[in-house]
Amino acid sequence: MRLRVLSYNVHGQRDDVDALAGAVRALEPDVVIVQEAPRRFRWRHKCAALADRLGLVVAAGGLPSLGNLLLTSLRVRVYQTWCRQFPLTPGRHMRGAVFAECGVGGSRFVVAGSHLSTDPTERPGQAALLKQELTALRLPVVVGADLNENSGGGAWRTVADGLTDVAVVAGGEGRFTFPCRQPRDRIDALFVDPRIDVLGYDVVDSEQTRRASDHFPICADLLLPAVD
């Protein structure tokens, strides 16, 4: 089964939300992995409002995953969800991850999302905890994350180990995702289980996405294996 996945750091919706909604709706994703989603006061209402604006529904996340959010189209069935919070380093923002076991047609898979620390001393431990969760999964996994470091960094290598870097397979590793004004870093990534085929990949650089956030969204078309 084909699946279109979007991973997007929406910058806390501090930019042009109409442009954000227009950009996402135009791509018609099945799954959106959101970083910097609502995580504080009235977070349930705000997450639902964001989903509605994007033409999607909330699968999991928000406060329990500390700002990571999974949204899906009605084509995707969600079977179970869970969240992981990483230990708090005093003086830093608390981080976490979100997971959802999903199905489309005859395929089952797990979607995961996370946003690692900007602190290079804190980030490797968070990457290790995220990888621990991913390693325990039986189903094929799709991981979208703002890793806050470029490919080749230690945390990046930890998360990517044993998975397919979608950008590399599709020849897009030279496409930068941040910052939109002067793109120079690829800190946003999509990784998939080797059982998943990559049909296409794009860093969506448009007038709308430049207004919508300080990160470009990354989009991938995937071919999921059938359930054994």
Side-chain angles (χ1 to χ4, degrees), residues 187-217:
I187 62 175
D188 304 277
L190 272 169
F191 304 107
V192 298
D193 187 286
R195 290 172 286 182
I196 296 174
D197 292 329
V198 178
L199 304 178
Y201 170 84
D202 192 20
V203 175
V204 187
D205 180 352
S206 68
E207 181 182 349
Q208 280 186 317
T209 59
R210 284 179 177 264
R211 299 201 316 266
S213 176
D214 59 344
H215 290 246
F216 290 128

Side-chain angles (χ1 to χ4, degrees), residues 124-176:
Q126 295 176 352
L129 291 172
L130 174 60
K131 190 63 177 180
Q132 185 180 68
E133 290 280 345
L134 297 174
T135 302
L137 297 172
R138 175 185 58 84
L139 292 171
V141 65
V142 177
V143 185
D146 175 353
L147 297 170
N148 265 316
E149 69 178 29
N150 282 289
S151 60
W156 184 295
R157 293 196 307 272
T158 295
V159 177
D161 183 39
L163 298 175
T164 299
D165 184 334
V166 174
V168 172
V169 169
E173 66 269 33
R175 304 279 305 280
F176 299 133

Side-chain angles (χ1 to χ4, degrees), residues 9-174:
N9 183 323
V10 299
H11 200 208
Q13 298 179 77
R14 295 193 292 272
D15 301 299
D16 188 332
V17 182
D18 288 335
L20 171 67
V24 173
R25 282 178 174 268
L27 292 166
E28 299 183 327
D30 298 300
V31 175
V32 180
I33 305 166
V34 181
Q35 299 91 39
E36 293 196 28
R39 57 178 282 180
R40 294 186 175 90
F41 180 64
R42 298 180 69 228
W43 64 272
R44 289 184 179 85
H45 171 79
K46 292 175 181 177
C47 288
L50 175 62
D52 183 65
R53 197 157 192 168
L54 302 184
L56 301 165
V57 297
V58 173
L63 176 62
S65 61
L66 303 167
N68 298 289
L69 180 66
L70 300 179
L71 307 177
T72 67
S73 71
L74 296 179
R75 179 172 176 254
V76 179
R77 182 172 181 179
V78 178
Y79 293 96
Q80 62 173 322
T81 67
W82 67 100
C83 298
R84 176 76 183 264
Q85 296 185 356
F86 304 143
L88 175 64
T89 300
R92 306 296 304 177
H93 290 295
M94 198 170 183
R95 306 275 182 166
V98 62
F99 305 85
E101 181 180 333
C102 301
V104 173
S107 299
R108 292 279 284 267
F109 57 99
V110 173
V111 179
S114 191
H115 185 186
L116 302 188
S117 176
T118 58
D119 182 356
T121 62
E122 185 180 29
R123 197 161 52 238
Q126 295 176 352
L129 291 172
L130 174 60
K131 190 63 177 180
Q132 185 180 68
E133 290 280 345
L134 297 174
T135 302
L137 297 172
R138 175 185 58 84
L139 292 171
V141 65
V142 177
V143 185
D146 175 353
L147 297 170
N148 265 316
E149 69 178 29
N150 282 289
S151 60
W156 184 295
R157 293 196 307 272
T158 295
V159 177
D161 183 39
L163 298 175
T164 299
D165 184 334
V166 174
V168 172
V169 169
E173 66 269 33

